Amino acid sequence: MKKLFLSINFKRGGFRGFASQSGKGQHLKIGGVKDIIAVASGKGGVGKSTTAVNLAVSLANKWQLKVGLLDADVYGPSIPMMMKLHGKPEVSADKKMIPIENYGVRCMSMGSLVAEGDALVWRGPMVMKALEQMTRGVDWGTLDVLVVDMPPGTGDAQISISQRLQLSGAVIVSTPQDVALMDARRGVKMFSQVNVPILGIVENMSYFKCPSCNEAHYIFGKGGAQKTADDMGMRFLGELPLETGIRSGSDEGVPVVISNPESCVSRAYGDISQKIVSTLELLNQPHSRPEINL
């Protein structure tokens, strides 16, 4: 196998965008991948990537599934650091990239294809072409679940990914405060408009439990995501507390579900991943689709 060096050809007229073929319904599935789920947020800074990483690792280790993780945030890829990925992907005999694996999860990220610290100053068509190569240009093998760490927001890239990939569903990540939940609602509406089921909403940074008195402090408000889920007819997947281990694990490249699997937050990730699996099983049954109240 050969080492990969990033080379994307952007000939004029050679790219029409993800959405151009979505209406035809042709070849939307990735061969060998059973379910694709998007982990998304209406805005940045709510812990979406950390949630995507720990859910993917939990699905692989706690529930023994074959899992892939796609870092779709081309401008700000963080998965290589969070998953402690080194080197560039190799290339198979049929010219497809081979994901870099760690903690039982097969990973692909733009951060593994360019030099660390390089800024990508790309316009939309170049980003879409890169995303196309990181999905269909990858030898994912056989996967039960491909977790897509979506870029934050509800713009062209997010809509195009949703249209170009046959997503089984989306998980919305938010913090409890109203400004984050307002953007989370926008994310829900975007996925609804492109006919992607919402698997549920996760409330990150729900509370901080004082190590001295063991009392929970709701720094960003209490129960906001639960209320939003109830109002919109979504499933509330659970709360994730503020813990130092989450931050240190992300910085050191050891997800907290690996470094401290018996911690409160690791058990919460395990419960959420189990709910995602059960919801996917329900959605895979004929004539099963949740309704969202917009």
Side-chain angles (χ1 to χ4, degrees), residues 18 150 157-167 190-191 194 196:
F18 273 19
M150 297 282 280
Q158 293 83 355
I159 295 171
S160 296
I161 293 170
S162 302
Q163 290 178 324
R164 190 65 181 89
L165 294 178
Q166 189 169 319
L167 295 176
M190 181 203 75
F191 283 114
V194 292
V196 174

Side-chain angles (χ1 to χ4, degrees), residues 182-201:
M182 177 178 62
D183 289 321
R185 286 175 177 266
R186 293 192 180 104
V188 171
K189 291 179 181 180
M190 181 203 75
F191 283 114
S192 178
Q193 288 172 4
V194 292
N195 298 315
V196 174
I198 302 297
L199 303 179
I201 185 168

Side-chain angles (χ1 to χ4, degrees), residues 18-19 21-22 26-31 33 35-38 70 72 131-137 140 146-150 157-169 191 194-197:
F18 273 19
Q21 297 180 2
S22 62
Q26 297 178 350
H27 311 300
L28 293 181
K29 290 187 70 67
I30 297 176
V33 179
D35 286 303
I36 304 176
I37 63 171
L70 169 64
L131 287 169
E132 176 76 358
Q133 290 198 353
M134 288 196 299
T135 51
R136 303 183 194 285
W140 291 105
L146 174 61
V147 178
V148 181
D149 179 20
M150 297 282 280
Q158 293 83 355
I159 295 171
S160 296
I161 293 170
S162 302
Q163 290 178 324
R164 190 65 181 89
L165 294 178
Q166 189 169 319
L167 295 176
S168 302
F191 283 114
V194 292
N195 298 315
V196 174

Side-chain angles (χ1 to χ4, degrees), residues 212-293:
S212 300
C213 65
N214 210 35
E215 183 180 349
H217 298 271
Y218 293 88
I219 299 171
F220 301 116
K222 184 178 181 180
Q226 174 77 71
K227 184 178 185 303
T228 298
D230 292 342
D231 290 346
M232 303 189 76
M234 295 185 298
R235 186 177 191 182
F236 180 64
L237 295 175
E239 298 177 338
L240 296 169
L242 276 166
E243 283 192 9
T244 303
I246 303 175
R247 190 276 308 161
S248 60
S250 296
D251 290 347
E252 296 166 8
V254 185
V256 70
V257 295
I258 293 293
S259 63
N260 192 359
E262 297 305 318
S263 66
C264 174
V265 70
S266 293
R267 291 196 299 270
Y269 280 123
D271 290 343
I272 292 169
S273 62
Q274 193 277 329
K275 290 176 183 176
I276 290 172
V277 170
S278 64
T279 305
L280 287 174
E281 291 174 349
L282 179 64
L283 288 174
N284 285 330
Q285 295 176 7
H287 311 298
S288 178
R289 194 177 187 86
E291 293 184 1
I292 299 173
N293 300 317

Side-chain angles (χ1 to χ4, degrees), residues 80-208:
M81 173 182 284
M82 291 183 172
M83 290 290 287
K84 198 180 283 188
L85 306 179
H86 301 292
K88 296 180 182 294
E90 295 183 337
V91 179
S92 66
D94 58 353
K95 304 294 179 66
K96 287 194 171 186
M97 293 182 285
I98 299 174
I100 303 174
E101 185 169 338
N102 200 12
Y103 307 120
V105 178
R106 303 168 196 171
C107 306
M108 181 55 60
S109 170
M110 181 57 67
S112 298
L113 303 177
V114 299
E116 185 176 351
D118 278 5
L120 294 180
V121 187
W122 287 358
R123 294 187 182 275
M126 298 174 72
V127 173
M128 298 307 169
K129 183 64 175 179
L131 287 169
E132 176 76 358
Q133 290 198 353
M134 288 196 299
T135 51
R136 303 183 194 285
V138 173
D139 183 4
W140 291 105
T142 301
L143 295 179
D144 294 306
V145 182
L146 174 61
V147 178
V148 181
D149 179 20
M150 297 282 280
T154 55
D156 182 64
Q158 293 83 355
I159 295 171
S160 296
I161 293 170
S162 302
Q163 290 178 324
R164 190 65 181 89
L165 294 178
Q166 189 169 319
L167 295 176
S168 302
V171 174
I172 305 297
V173 180
S174 180
T175 49
Q177 67 264 47
D178 290 343
V179 66
L181 290 165
M182 177 178 62
D183 289 321
R185 286 175 177 266
R186 293 192 180 104
V188 171
K189 291 179 181 180
M190 181 203 75
F191 283 114
S192 178
Q193 288 172 4
V194 292
N195 298 315
V196 174
I198 302 297
L199 303 179
I201 185 168
V202 174
E203 185 176 270
N204 197 27
M205 308 181 199
S206 293
Y207 58 90
F208 171 73

